[in-house]
Every structure is written in structure tokens, then in C-alpha cells.
Amino acid sequence: MGTEANERALEDGIVTDLKDRMTYGSYLDLDRLLSAQHPVSQPQHHDEMLFIIQHQTTELWLKLVVHELGTARDRLAGDDLRAALKHIARVKHIQEVLTQQWSVLATLTPTEYAEFRDDLGSSSGFQSVQYRCVEFALGNKNERMLSVFRDHPENLAMLTREWERPTLYDEFLRLAARRGLPIPAEVLERDVRQPYRESAELVEAIREIYEHPHEHWDLYEACEELVDVEDNFQFWRFRHLRTVTRTIGMKRGTGGSTGVDFLRRALDLTFFPELYSVRTEIGR
């Protein structure tokens, strides 16, 4: 066994004089970011820090998802499907991280959470404007959700923009129509502020893509990427449901929802219904 010190010497080129320079901390605004955790329990409960950081990191990832979905739609509108798929692929990786994060919150036992849950008042993830923006961007439009943010003009404006904007699916189908696919006019001309409704005619257009993949390879790939996004979203919803179930059982949510039952009904929502319905038709 050697007697050398267990340390690594700094290389000569490493900058150590950081006065008047941009640093890692200043670039990332870490002083503000790391001081943004404000537990409200009195006396402060140890596990409230976990609860806060779990939700703050989720919001940071959601911010990036909103950013990527916005650019993906811009690329589709500009007929740049390849670039759009890159942004969609990034969203898929973020979704995986978000789903895995539930395992951290699941270490919070029912007993521990009960000791500070009442201190949260009526705050709830239901009130996350960024989550609503993601749902709107993917197709789950709901005008009634705008009222949740009526007392926060900035959030209301943000969600209203998403409500009025074509969804990711809208932009994909418009691109497919420009490529010559028989996308029904009722789909292309629909009011994008409304929740998406399945079209039997569109299933036949999607079937054309799936039954002739070599003629529509990038559209075929895009369809499968969108299915991945929806599957990932459903995995996230289910993991959320199971984490809530093991933490609070059948109690009502802090925001007033029925809790587990409310989350379970969300599993019936779909973004891209024809991409699933077409599977029944393929090979018939």
C-alpha cells in the first residue's frame, strides 16, 4: 500500500482567480436557485425539503419541455420534420427523467408526509401552469383551466397562448397534408382551442403511412415518436397515481380534488388517438 496523499493536484491551466469573471455559480444564478427552498412547517420537518426540491426540479424540466415542444411545432410548420424529431426525442428523454423522479418522492412515507401536509394549505400540482401548457401543447385543451390562473396575469397569458396555438399533432397533420396525404379537411380546419376529437377518416390516412412505410419513412418515424411521447406521458401519469396512492391513500388532494380517483381518470385521456386506432386496422 502506497503512502501518497489521496488527492488530485490542480492543473496549471485551471482558473482560480475568479474576481470579475463569469463563474459556474453566477452563470446558473445558483445563489438565487439554491436559496429558493422555503419550508413552511413549524418546526421545520426534515422531509419538507425533499417535497419542495422534487417539485421545483419537475418545474425546471417542464420549462424545458414547453421550450422544446414550441420549437418542434415551429419546425413542423416550416416543413423541417427532421429537426422537429430531434426536439421530440429530447422531450422523450426528459419524460423518462420525470417518471424516474417519482421513485425519490416515494421514499416519503405516509406518516412523514402527514406530519407537514396540512402546512401546504391549498397548494397543489393541479395549479402548475407549465404542466397545463404541456397538456395543451399535446392536445388536451380545456378552456376551463384558464380560470385557475385568472388571478395571475402572467400565467394566464402563458396558458392562453398555448390554448390558442395549434398542438404538436395539429402541426404534424398539416405537414402530412402538405406532403399529399389525404388528411380530412375537418381535421385541418378544426378550432385548435378545442380538445382534439378522433376522426375515423384520419385513421385511413394514417394507415397509408403505416402500410407503405418506405414511401413515407420520415412520417412513419414521426408517428412512432409521437406514440412514444404519449406512452411516456401515460407512464408518468401512472407513476404519479401510484406515488400518491402509497403516500396519502384515498384522501382528497390539497387542492380540493378527489385525489387518486381524479388522477385515475386522467389515464383515459389521449393525445393522438388515430395513432393507436390504426393498429387495429393494419393487416386487415
Side-chain angles (χ1 to χ4, degrees), residues 162-219:
E162 283 295 344
W163 177 58
E164 295 175 341
R165 184 175 181 180
T167 70
L168 184 68
Y169 199 34
D170 286 323
E171 293 292 9
F172 169 68
L173 294 175
R174 291 175 181 184
L175 180 146
R178 293 192 295 273
R179 292 279 193 89
L181 270 292
I183 309 299
E186 66 180 30
V187 173
L188 297 174
E189 298 168 5
R190 78 181 194 90
D191 182 351
V192 299
R193 298 173 300 176
Q194 299 302 311
Y196 185 80
R197 306 297 182 193
E198 183 171 3
S199 164
E201 289 183 64
L202 180 56
V203 173
E204 289 305 307
I206 299 296
R207 182 176 179 176
E208 168 70 19
I209 295 173
Y210 272 90
E211 293 193 337
H212 303 91
H214 294 293
E215 296 175 23
H216 311 288
W217 186 260
D218 55 353
L219 295 175

Side-chain angles (χ1 to χ4, degrees), residues 82-141:
R82 293 177 64 184
L85 291 178
K86 172 66 189 308
H87 296 286
I88 293 171
R90 183 172 292 164
V91 167
K92 288 166 51 180
H93 286 293
I94 297 169
Q95 288 178 304
E96 291 171 1
V97 172
L98 287 169
T99 299
Q100 291 168 2
Q101 278 192 183
W102 288 118
S103 64
V104 182
L105 191 61
T107 64
L108 181 66
T109 68
T111 304
E112 291 163 345
Y113 186 38
E115 291 171 348
F116 68 88
R117 184 174 187 250
D118 287 345
D119 295 311
L120 305 179
S122 59
S123 63
S124 166
F126 177 83
Q127 300 150 8
S128 169
V129 68
Q130 294 194 125
Y131 173 79
R132 295 301 163 191
C133 283
V134 171
E135 283 217 331
F136 279 20
L138 294 177
N140 185 19
K141 301 284 183 81

Side-chain angles (χ1 to χ4, degrees), residues 48 57 188 234:
E48 191 180 354
T57 53
L188 297 174
Q234 292 288 39

